[in-house]
């Protein structure tokens, strides 16, 4: 144990021993705590910003806050959209909406999302996504969120597991609201990538008795949104593809050029429906005892059809050498390619459509008891969170196999992809596109359960500078499992014998996709199918077989102690959290167990330079547990090739030593200027590596598994400015500089994935009794990203959002809002190889709504 930890432990023990001596002095501490409470009465944009600023100012840790001062006043359409306004936070978008956040140079899975202070079970739906602990922000409706706090430094009482940041979503409580509150809204949403508008409705009713002892809150919302992501992408890294009989990309001169395997033009169409429900009960049994019960349910249905027009040159393809264009890196980046053998089974130009019907549900029930006295407080919590995902899926290939000469393509991937088929009409002819190569039918099954039991205690005192001592214990049982239920044995042969084509599932045609980047040489028109392909799979399915099964169980025991201290010009806390984790990972044939423990100290100090200028310092040690993908027991042994890929639950969590130093100037109640320096030193970074090992069934194998191998560091500066001009106008701005480096054993040194060196936000608002208006600009420079299995460099991205609310009466609002209104596209290059990897166009989103409150 190092000296700093010994001093920390000693200070806590001294504080604990002093508790019984000074119990009678708690009244002074309580009075001081009361003096620190700010009452916020302004509403609307300014009210929400003022309340969030007060939360930040009074916090003992490094924290940013987002507040919805009134019901329905959450500042953005999505939790993630609001988070991107915070300094040090950038977001990831997969299908238009934010589905993950990077906080201070760390990946989304290295941050933790809590609901009212507790973990939320989570599952994904995409069969090719890794299994992570990161909660999908697309699941949560913003309507029911009262606010959220983003902890950038740690405190001992907060759940461990985040080396990036901890996001705590807070829902509304009936005893905190008016005696009878009603809110309802209707809204129509539109995505410019699709036709039509979709309806959204939400409502909330809260009631408490005249004695304010019993309260009930019920809320429900249904949001529908048509989503379309339009994409160009290459597949496979650029290399010479020559494995005879397995994978070959030849040219007419008999060479095997360095080039990607192929490329595609893709349309992802989804009918998304998000449902959120909440029931909260509170009973104030007496002045000291409060019982609370909360139930939340989040459900996301996102049936979709993903249509990809592939030119995969290894599928009976041939490059015409006399048309080949090579760049300075020696990569083939433009050519004409065609079918190699006109008598063969397959064609290189084809339609691969994947139809899925995922349904994800997360349920959270939380029972809490709070007991308060003049000298100490007790809190006990029992809760359960479950999540499940079910989704039928079919993947089918269609090509003009009877006229293979139609599979010729002229292409160029140096910039926006040029993709011109020799006969574009064949891709529009449903009947000409015959089934071949693949017809899968399966069900993706994922389950996650969390049971938790927590007990917290706080003793108020005034001794040795400590105002209170907090302590607590928590026990969690977590179980994550996944499997794929395959039901397609013989399905392809049966469908081919029936002569199925795209005409058997005719879904019409699409045209004009990728409107922001396309020209006459871009493939933007092709035929599509509908989801009746799933009905055919169901009617002709085989007996079910289980594939890719695994289950991971974790028993987590934690305990903490924290001392809160304050003096004439300073305040803060010092704490120590201990956590012990038992892991059991198994599949149908293999199992392994492991145990590890972590001791996590933390210190947060706030010093009042003067009444309106604060100096903050924080230091702590944090961990992020391995992802389920990295821990799952899976094995694939190729005895003859002496290779194996296996799981590795015996890996330690990421560890990070963190430091913050900042200064904050609150020049009025709704205005701030601040600067913060932060640093993270990360060890035990987890990577997939290959080493020679001897395992059961394969001696001297080259074994690929996840291991603790790398190190990383993050240094950065956050600048924030917020001002209300007292004339209705206001401005909020922030800038973050992040210098990150990952020292990888496999790829060498480079920036961390998903991290931009520079990112900034600027928003301006105007508000009076009649209207509330805001325009927001968000921008970040390039970052490194893994996309479709390849690492690319994302070009700088910026977006503009705007909203206008007309307060028709004190109770009725009419609103108009736009998200990404300039329809910015995301572009990824492979600069070291000299070609464009991918382009994504998500579309602009617009909302028109009306709300009523009383």
């Amino acid at each position: 144990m190092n000296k700093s930890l010994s001093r920390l432990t000693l200070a806590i023990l001294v504080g604990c021993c002093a508790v019984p001596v000074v119990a009678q002095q708690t009244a002074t501490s309580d009075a001081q705590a009361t003096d620190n409470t700010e009452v916020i009465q302004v509403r609307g944009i300014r009210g929400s910003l003022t309340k969030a600023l007060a939360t930040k100012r009074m916090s003992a840790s490094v924290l940013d806050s987002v507040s919805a001062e009134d019901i329905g006043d959450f500042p953005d359409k999505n939790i993630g959209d609001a988070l991107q306004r915070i300094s040090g936070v950038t977001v990831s978008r997969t299908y238009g909406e934010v589905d993950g956040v990077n906080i201070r140079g760390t990946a989304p899975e290295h941050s933790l999302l809590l609901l009212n202070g507790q973990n939320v079970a989570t599952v994904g739906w995409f069969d090719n996504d890794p299994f992570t602990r990161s909660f999908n922000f697309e699941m949560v409706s913003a309507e029911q969120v009262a606010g959220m706090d983003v902890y950038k430094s740690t405190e001992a009482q907060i759940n461990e597991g985040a080396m990036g940041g901890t996001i705590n979503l807070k829902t509304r409580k009936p005893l905190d609201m008016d005696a009878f509150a009603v809110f309802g809204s209707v809204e129509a949403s539109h995505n410019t990538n699709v036709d039509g508008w979709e309806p959204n409705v939400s409502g909330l009713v809260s009631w408490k008795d005249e004695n304010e002892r019993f309260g009930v809150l019920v809320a429900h919302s249904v949001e529908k949104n048509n989503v379309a992501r339009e994409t160009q992408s290459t597949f496979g890294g650029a290399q010479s593809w020559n494995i005879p009989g397995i994978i070959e990309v030849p040219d007419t001169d008999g060479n095997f050029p360095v080039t990607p395997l192929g490329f595609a033009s893709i349309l992802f169409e989804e009918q998304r429906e998000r449902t959120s429900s909440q029931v909260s009960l509170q009973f104030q049994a007496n002045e000291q005892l409060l019982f609370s019960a909360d139930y939340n349910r989040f459900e996301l249905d996102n049936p979709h059809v993903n249509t990809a027009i592939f030119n995969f040159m290894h599928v009976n393809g041939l490059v015409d050498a006399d048309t080949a264009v090579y760049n300075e890196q020696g990569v083939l980046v433009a050519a004409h390619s065609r079918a190699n053998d006109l008598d063969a089974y397959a064609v290189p130009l084809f339609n691969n459509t994947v139809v899925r019907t995922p349904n994800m549900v997360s349920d959270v029930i939380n029972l809490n008891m709070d007991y308060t006295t003049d000298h100490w407080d007790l809190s006990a919590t029992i809760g359960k969170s479950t999540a499940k995902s079910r989704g039928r899926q079919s993947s089918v290939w269609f090509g003009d196999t009877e006229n293979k000469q139609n599979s010729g393509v002229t292409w160029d991937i140096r910039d926006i992809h040029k993709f011109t088929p020799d006969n574009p009409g064949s891709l529009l002819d449903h009947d000409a596109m015959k089934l071949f190569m693949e017809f899968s039918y399966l069900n993706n099954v994922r389950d996650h359960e969390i049971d938790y039991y927590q007990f917290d205690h706080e003793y108020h005192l005034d001794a040795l500078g400590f105002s209170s001592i907090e302590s607590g214990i928590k026990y969690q049982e977590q179980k994550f499992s996944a499997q794929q239920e395959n039901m397609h044995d013989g399905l392809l042969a049966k469908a081919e014998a029936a002569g199925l084509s795209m005409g058997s599932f005719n879904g019409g045609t699409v045209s004009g996709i990728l409107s922001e980047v396309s020209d006459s040489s871009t493939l933007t028109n092709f035929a599509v199918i509908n989801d009746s392909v799933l009905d055919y799979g169901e009617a002709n399915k085989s007996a079910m077989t289980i594939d890719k099964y695994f289950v991971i169980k974790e028993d987590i025991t934690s305990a903490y102690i924290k001392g809160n201290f304050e003096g004439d010009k300073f305040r803060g806390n010092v704490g120590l959290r201990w956590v012990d984790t038992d892991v059991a990972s198994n599949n149908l044939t293999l199992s392994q167990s492991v145990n590890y423990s972590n001791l996590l100290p933390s210190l947060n100090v706030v010093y009042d330079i003067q009444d309106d200028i604060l100096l903050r310092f924080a230091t702590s040690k944090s961990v992020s547990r391995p992802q389920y993908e990295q821990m799952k027991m899976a094995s694939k042994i190729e005895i003859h090739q002496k290779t194996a890929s296996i799981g590795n639950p015996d890996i330690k969590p990421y560890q990070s030593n963190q430091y913050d130093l900042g200064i904050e100037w609150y020049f009025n109640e709704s205005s701030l200027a601040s600067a913060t320096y932060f640093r993270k030193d990360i060890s035990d970074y987890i990577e997939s590596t290959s080493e020679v090992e001897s395992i059961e069934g394969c001696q001297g194998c080259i074994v690929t598994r996840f291991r603790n191998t790398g190190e990383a560091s993050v240094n950065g500066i956050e600048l924030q400015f917020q001002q209300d001009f007292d004339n209705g106008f206001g401005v909020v701005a922030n800038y973050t500089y992040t210098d990150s480096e990952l020292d990888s054993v496999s790829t060498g040194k480079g920036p961390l994935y998903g991290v931009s060196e520079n990112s900034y936000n600027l928003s301006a608002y105007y508000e009076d009794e009649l209207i509330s208006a805001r325009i927001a600009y968000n921008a970040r420079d390039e970052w490194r990203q893994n996309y479709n299995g390849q690492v690319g460099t994302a070009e700088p991205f910026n977006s503009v959002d705007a909203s206008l609310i007309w307060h028709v009466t004190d109770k009725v609002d009419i609103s108009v809002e736009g998200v990404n209104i300039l329809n910015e596209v995301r572009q990824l290059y492979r600069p070291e190889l000299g070609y464009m990897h991918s382009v994504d166009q998500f579309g602009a989103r617009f909302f028109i709504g009306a709300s009523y409150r009383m």
Side-chain angles (χ1 to χ4, degrees):
M1 182 176 292
N2 59 44
K3 290 184 178 179
S4 60
L5 184 58
S6 300
R7 291 170 181 170
L8 170 61
T9 307
L10 179 62
I12 293 173
L13 291 175
V14 169
C16 292
C17 295
V19 170
V21 180
V22 295
Q24 70 274 15
Q25 299 179 4
T26 57
T28 302
S29 176
D30 291 343
Q32 292 172 343
T34 302
D35 290 341
N36 285 335
T37 302
E38 294 195 16
V39 179
I40 308 301
Q41 295 179 333
V42 291
R43 296 187 180 276
I45 297 174
R46 182 172 178 266
S48 295
L49 290 173
T50 302
K51 184 175 181 180
L53 209 59
T55 302
K56 176 183 178 70
R57 182 175 185 174
M58 303 313 300
S59 171
S61 58
V62 182
L63 174 145
D64 282 288
S65 183
V66 178
S67 174
E69 177 63 11
D70 206 351
I71 308 170
D73 274 356
F74 199 81
D76 287 276
K77 302 305 299 181
N78 176 280
I79 301 299
D81 288 332
L83 282 168
Q84 73 175 333
R85 317 290 179 205
I86 294 175
S87 61
V89 177
T90 55
V91 301
S92 62
R93 302 174 187 270
T94 306
Y95 299 97
E97 282 194 312
V98 173
D99 56 9
V101 297
N102 299 74
I103 300 180
R104 288 184 165 182
T106 59
E109 57 267 25
H110 297 153
S111 292
L112 188 65
L113 185 138
L114 307 176
L115 182 67
N116 297 319
Q118 301 295 339
N119 292 85
V120 182
T122 180
V123 287
W125 58 264
F126 184 40
D127 53 303
N128 289 325
D129 267 352
F131 302 97
T132 73
R133 301 174 185 269
S134 181
F135 187 78
N136 190 336
F137 291 95
E138 296 168 309
M139 295 283 289
V140 181
S141 170
E143 291 280 6
Q144 294 166 19
V145 176
M148 58 183 174
D149 296 328
V150 181
Y151 290 87
K152 297 176 180 177
S153 68
T154 63
E155 295 189 26
Q157 82 281 7
I158 300 174
N159 281 5
E160 75 290 335
M163 67 178 182
T166 300
I167 305 160
N168 184 32
L169 300 183
K170 300 175 290 186
T171 58
R172 299 186 183 277
K173 305 295 182 182
L175 292 185
D176 295 334
M177 302 184 67
D178 294 337
F180 184 63
V182 176
F183 173 81
S185 71
V186 294
E187 187 178 65
S189 65
H190 169 66
N191 186 307
T192 57
N193 280 359
V194 298
D195 296 327
W197 292 74
E198 291 295 321
N200 303 322
V201 296
S202 66
L204 180 147
V205 177
S206 181
W207 171 89
K208 60 184 177 183
D209 66 353
E210 60 182 12
N211 296 319
E212 298 190 358
R213 295 185 60 190
F214 180 71
V216 181
L217 182 150
V218 178
H220 184 73
S221 67
V222 179
E223 300 174 59
K224 294 185 177 182
N225 187 21
N226 286 338
V227 175
R229 185 186 71 174
E230 301 167 1
T231 299
Q232 297 176 341
S233 180
T234 65
F235 290 83
Q239 66 181 71
S240 180
W241 302 94
N242 183 20
I243 306 176
I246 299 177
I247 185 168
E248 301 174 70
V249 180
D251 67 15
T252 52
D253 289 341
N255 299 314
F256 294 88
V258 174
T259 191
L261 273 179
F263 49 90
S265 183
I266 306 170
L267 174 64
F268 176 94
E269 295 182 288
E270 175 186 273
Q271 293 76 48
R272 176 174 296 176
E273 181 174 326
R274 175 170 51 215
T275 305
S276 296
S277 304
Q278 176 190 353
V279 178
S280 294
L281 306 175
Q282 288 186 295
F283 175 54
Q284 189 78 55
N286 54 48
E287 291 184 358
Q288 297 175 311
L289 183 61
L290 172 66
F291 294 98
S292 303
D294 296 285
Y295 171 74
N296 290 87
R297 181 181 178 90
F298 310 111
E299 183 171 4
L300 180 64
D301 273 305
N302 60 328
H304 56 264
V305 178
N306 188 80
T307 306
I309 306 300
F310 279 109
N311 182 51
F312 266 175
M313 292 175 288
H314 68 293
V315 183
N316 188 26
L318 181 69
V319 176
D320 287 324
D322 58 353
T323 66
V325 177
Y326 293 86
N327 63 15
E328 294 179 355
Q329 292 89 338
V331 178
L332 176 65
V333 291
H336 178 270
S337 58
R338 53 186 170 84
N340 188 6
D341 184 353
L342 297 183
D343 295 323
Y345 170 66
V347 290
L349 178 65
F350 59 92
N351 179 315
N352 173 209
T353 299
V354 182
V355 181
R356 303 181 183 91
T357 58
N359 172 267
M360 293 176 288
V361 178
S362 290
D363 290 284
V364 183
I365 186 166
N366 201 64
L367 306 177
N368 186 263
M369 181 199 74
D370 293 296
Y371 188 80
T372 303
T373 73
D374 291 338
H375 306 307
W376 49 266
D377 304 325
L378 288 177
S379 177
T381 303
I382 300 175
K384 185 180 186 70
S385 178
T386 63
K388 65 179 182 179
S389 175
R390 303 289 185 270
R392 293 190 301 160
Q393 174 178 317
S394 277
S395 176
V396 284
W397 288 22
F398 297 99
D400 193 351
T401 54
E402 295 180 359
N403 301 284
K404 294 184 176 62
Q405 66 274 12
N406 287 335
S407 60
V409 174
T410 299
W411 54 273
D412 187 337
I413 59 173
R414 283 173 288 187
D415 205 321
I416 303 301
H417 293 179
K418 301 182 189 307
F419 187 168
T420 307
D422 291 353
N423 184 3
S426 66
L427 295 175
L428 294 166
D429 188 343
H430 287 80
D431 294 328
M433 301 290 283
K434 303 294 185 181
L435 180 70
F436 78 107
M437 192 67 79
E438 181 173 285
F439 194 152
S440 66
Y441 182 64
L442 54 90
N443 185 30
N444 290 304
V445 176
R446 301 179 183 185
D447 292 282
H448 190 196
E449 298 181 6
I450 304 175
D451 293 284
Y452 50 88
Y453 313 87
Q454 181 172 335
F455 180 83
D456 298 278
H457 173 264
E458 181 174 9
Y459 201 98
H460 303 284
L461 66 150
D462 186 8
L464 299 177
F466 285 94
S467 58
S468 67
I469 297 293
E470 299 178 44
S471 61
I473 57 174
K474 185 172 187 176
Y475 176 70
Q476 296 184 76
E477 294 178 343
Q478 299 200 26
K479 178 182 177 182
F480 187 97
S481 63
Q483 66 184 39
Q484 196 174 81
E485 299 173 348
N486 297 328
M487 297 165 283
H488 47 241
D489 186 31
L491 184 58
L492 175 62
K494 183 181 295 186
E496 284 185 309
L500 296 190
S501 67
M502 290 188 69
S504 307
F505 316 104
N506 194 322
T509 61
V510 297
S511 62
I513 69 170
L514 293 161
S515 59
E516 294 297 318
V517 297
S518 62
D519 59 26
S520 59
S521 60
T522 302
L523 181 63
T524 62
N525 308 332
F526 44 82
V528 296
I529 65 172
N530 57 43
D531 60 6
S532 63
V533 67
L534 291 171
D535 297 330
Y536 185 90
E538 178 67 21
N540 295 275
K541 66 184 179 182
S542 65
M544 183 179 69
T545 59
I546 303 297
D547 188 24
K548 301 180 181 179
Y549 168 82
F550 73 92
V551 59
I552 296 173
K553 297 180 180 179
E554 293 176 305
D555 293 337
I556 304 170
T557 304
S558 58
Y560 74 89
I561 188 164
K562 185 179 84 168
N564 299 300
F565 55 81
E566 60 181 271
D568 290 339
K569 298 180 72 66
F570 66 89
R571 55 190 167 88
N573 57 71
V574 59
L576 188 64
R577 187 176 185 90
W578 170 81
V579 57
D580 181 78
T581 305
D582 287 305
V583 180
S585 178
N586 64 79
N587 60 14
L588 294 174
T589 58
L590 301 172
S591 64
Q592 187 173 341
S593 299
V594 66
N595 171 269
Y596 59 85
S597 298
N598 299 100
L599 201 59
L600 308 173
S602 60
L603 172 67
N604 294 274
V605 181
V606 181
Y607 179 76
D608 297 325
I609 298 176
Q610 57 187 50
D611 289 344
D612 56 355
I613 299 180
L614 310 179
L615 183 69
R616 291 188 187 273
F617 173 76
T619 183
S620 63
K621 183 177 182 179
S622 65
V623 294
S624 285
R625 289 190 171 86
Q627 304 307 305
Y628 298 122
E629 180 72 19
Q630 299 162 339
M631 300 166 61
K632 67 181 183 182
M633 289 301 298
S635 64
K636 183 179 181 181
I637 301 175
E638 301 289 348
I639 297 176
H640 299 294
Q641 299 178 18
K642 287 284 187 176
T643 62
S645 176
I646 66 175
N648 187 16
D650 191 19
I651 47 179
K652 297 178 290 185
Y654 301 82
Q655 299 189 66
S656 176
N657 293 321
Q658 307 182 158
Y659 312 90
D660 291 85
L661 180 63
I663 187 168
E664 300 166 4
W665 176 29
Y666 297 87
F667 49 95
N668 62 50
E669 68 173 5
S670 55
S671 300
L672 162 74
S674 69
T676 302
Y677 167 78
F678 61 88
R679 178 178 176 85
K680 298 177 186 291
D681 293 320
I682 302 169
S683 59
D684 290 328
Y685 208 92
I686 300 173
E687 298 182 87
S688 178
T689 63
S690 298
E691 296 180 6
V692 176
E693 298 183 30
S694 292
I695 60 175
E696 185 176 352
C698 187
Q699 300 300 308
C701 267
I702 300 175
V703 177
T704 300
R705 68 165 94 214
F706 288 99
R707 296 177 172 88
N708 297 104
T709 58
E711 295 183 347
S713 63
V714 180
N715 290 274
I717 296 174
E718 296 174 355
L719 304 177
Q720 293 179 265
F721 179 78
Q722 176 177 322
Q723 183 169 11
D724 181 84
F725 296 104
D726 291 326
N727 59 0
F729 288 96
V731 63
V732 179
N734 62 63
Y735 163 78
T736 304
Y737 169 79
T738 307
D739 177 28
S740 68
E741 182 179 83
L742 169 62
D743 189 2
S744 168
V745 297
S746 56
T747 62
K749 292 184 179 181
L752 286 164
Y753 291 101
V755 180
S756 294
E757 188 173 68
N758 300 283
S759 61
Y760 49 94
N761 297 277
L762 176 64
S763 62
Y765 64 87
Y766 175 78
E767 189 170 54
D768 59 23
E769 293 182 356
L770 186 62
I771 65 169
S772 295
R774 185 189 69 157
I775 185 167
Y777 176 72
N778 173 268
R780 59 186 299 195
D781 60 16
E782 64 182 27
W783 69 95
R784 190 163 63 147
Q785 181 170 333
N786 191 315
Y787 188 79
N788 286 337
Q790 300 299 312
V791 176
T793 299
E795 290 294 287
F797 183 87
N798 57 79
S799 62
V800 177
D801 306 332
S803 64
L804 175 65
I805 301 174
W806 173 30
H807 305 298
V808 181
T809 69
D810 290 341
K811 297 181 179 180
V812 178
D813 288 341
I814 303 294
S815 62
V816 179
E817 185 168 354
V819 178
N820 188 26
I821 59 179
L822 299 181
N823 195 8
E824 293 293 325
V825 299
R826 183 181 63 186
Q827 300 181 108
L828 274 77
Y829 282 91
R830 299 292 305 273
E832 75 284 8
L833 297 171
Y835 63 84
M836 175 80 77
H837 179 38
S838 66
V839 176
D840 285 309
Q841 179 179 306
F842 302 111
R845 292 182 289 148
F846 294 96
F847 306 86
I848 300 174
S851 63
Y852 172 84
R853 61 174 54 82
M854 62 174 290

